């Protein structure tokens, strides 16, 4: 390590190292920005093939017709009980939802056997419409859920609360959360480290240097990860990219502070 340190911090070599790092950051930074486009949040894409949950999901999709769908549950609730206006709104929603593409036959809470199927509560305040989505990817599930939410919001009756949830709704919401988590984590982590370093060292330069160094390193690391995932078609999810940010800033800041302390000790 001492030999390596002498090489990268030599009188002339340090400028070569700095130039190489900046070139890498400039070249790979654009690829780092695309990292979120190759993430997949379907559990079957990143869990081991022999995991119990993966085996069950595979069996459902291959052995059962219903297992090849992702059901969306449209929940209707009126604390005062579902009246004629509520039922008319539910009927209109059911008719509009049934016409959407990529859907298997829906189960309406207004059907004669709805109570027996558990689609209508005993107190008459809650009803559930089941809309199985046949699309297998989030690119197909997301627009279907968005269409259902648009339909139910436009046609709901006064006093009637409507929610689109179930496996399809939860999946769409989870993907949306993880899709935005990288930016939120990046901003939050940067601000936290900046405030802590300012409080500890009371020097804007000492506080900013680790953030700049780690930011450059993250651009390079994220670009490399994107290229590897793209070239080898490897599965990666939003949690992995979020952990990458935390590790880069945590370890990078620690090493920067360590080097700053060494420099201060020799001054």
């Amino acid at each position: 390590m001492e030999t390596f340190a002498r090489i990268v911090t030599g009188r002339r070599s340090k400028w070569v190292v700095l130039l190489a790092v900046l070139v890498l950051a400039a070249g790979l930074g654009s690829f780092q920005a695309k990292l979120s486009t190759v993430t997949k949040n379907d559990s079957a894409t990143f869990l081991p093939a022999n995991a119990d949950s993966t085996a069950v999901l595979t069996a459902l999709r291959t052995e059962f017709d219903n297992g090849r769908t992702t059901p969306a549950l449209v929940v209707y609730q009126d604390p005062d009980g579902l009246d004629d206006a509520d039922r008319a709104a539910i009927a209109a929603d059911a008719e509009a939802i049934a016409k959407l593409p990529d859907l298997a036959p829906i189960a309406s809470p207004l059907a004669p056997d709805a109570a027996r199927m558990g689609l209508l509560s005993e107190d008459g305040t809650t009803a559930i419409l089941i809309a199985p989505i046949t699309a297998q990817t989030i690119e197909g599930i997301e627009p279907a859920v968005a269409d259902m939410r648009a339909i139910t919001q436009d046609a709901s009756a006064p006093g009637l609360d409507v929610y689109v949830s179930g496996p399809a709704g939860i999946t769409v919401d989870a993907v949306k959360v993880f899709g935005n988590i990288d930016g939120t984590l990046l901003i939050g982590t940067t601000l936290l480290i900046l405030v802590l370093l300012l409080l500890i060292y009371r020097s804007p330069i000492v506080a900013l240097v680790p953030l700049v160094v780690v930011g450059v390193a993250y651009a390079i690391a994220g670009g490399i990860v994107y290229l590897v995932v793209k070239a080898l078609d490897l599965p990666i999810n939003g949690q992995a990219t979020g952990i990458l940010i935390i590790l880069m800033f945590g370890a990078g800041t620690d090493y920067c502070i360590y080097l700053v302390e060494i420099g201060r000790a020799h001054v």
Side-chain angles (χ1 to χ4, degrees):
M1 290 298 295
E2 291 182 2
T3 303
F4 176 76
R6 284 196 299 269
I7 293 174
V8 298
T9 59
R11 180 179 300 178
R12 294 186 178 86
S13 60
K14 64 183 178 183
W15 299 110
V16 176
V17 172
L18 177 60
L19 179 61
V21 170
L22 293 178
V23 169
L24 283 174
L28 296 173
S30 60
F31 294 110
Q32 181 276 322
K34 299 178 181 179
L35 185 56
S36 60
T37 63
V38 295
T39 58
K40 299 177 181 179
N41 293 295
D42 182 0
S43 59
T45 63
F46 60 87
L47 288 178
N50 58 353
D52 291 343
S53 56
T54 305
V56 170
L57 184 60
T58 301
L60 285 172
R61 289 178 174 176
T62 56
E63 302 297 334
F64 301 94
D65 290 339
N66 289 340
R68 300 190 186 99
T69 63
T70 303
L73 304 182
V74 184
V75 181
Y76 299 88
Q77 188 174 44
D78 189 335
D80 298 325
L82 299 172
D83 55 23
D84 291 340
D86 295 335
R87 294 177 180 275
I90 295 173
D93 288 352
E95 182 179 358
I97 290 173
K99 295 178 181 178
L100 294 176
D102 297 326
L103 284 187
I106 67 172
S108 172
L110 302 180
D113 57 347
R116 181 182 62 82
M117 296 175 61
L119 302 182
L120 193 63
S121 65
E122 293 182 0
D123 60 3
T125 62
T126 307
I128 299 176
L129 183 150
I130 302 177
I133 301 173
T134 57
Q136 296 294 311
T137 64
I138 188 62
E139 289 77 15
I141 297 173
E142 188 172 12
V145 171
D147 288 341
M148 291 182 204
R149 287 175 171 167
I151 290 171
T152 55
Q153 288 175 1
D154 292 341
S156 60
L160 180 65
D161 296 322
V162 187
Y163 310 92
V164 178
S165 185
I170 293 173
T171 299
V172 169
D173 292 341
V175 170
K176 186 178 296 183
V177 169
F178 282 116
N180 297 327
I181 198 171
D182 286 356
T184 303
L185 277 174
L186 185 60
I187 295 172
T189 304
T190 302
L191 291 177
L192 177 61
I193 293 175
L194 180 61
V195 171
L196 289 176
L197 292 178
L198 284 173
L199 291 174
I200 294 171
Y201 292 102
R202 301 179 184 179
S203 170
I205 295 178
V206 175
L208 290 174
V209 166
L211 294 178
V212 172
V213 171
V214 173
V216 172
Y218 175 64
I220 295 173
I224 293 174
V225 171
Y226 170 81
L227 292 175
V228 172
V229 170
K230 195 73 174 177
L232 302 180
D233 195 25
L234 297 176
I236 184 174
N237 68 337
Q239 298 178 46
T241 57
I243 292 172
L244 175 64
I245 294 174
I246 299 299
L247 289 178
M248 289 295 299
F249 273 84
T253 304
D254 286 345
Y255 278 108
C256 284
I257 293 175
Y258 174 68
L259 293 174
V260 168
E261 292 296 332
I262 291 177
R264 292 176 63 185
H266 287 80
V267 173

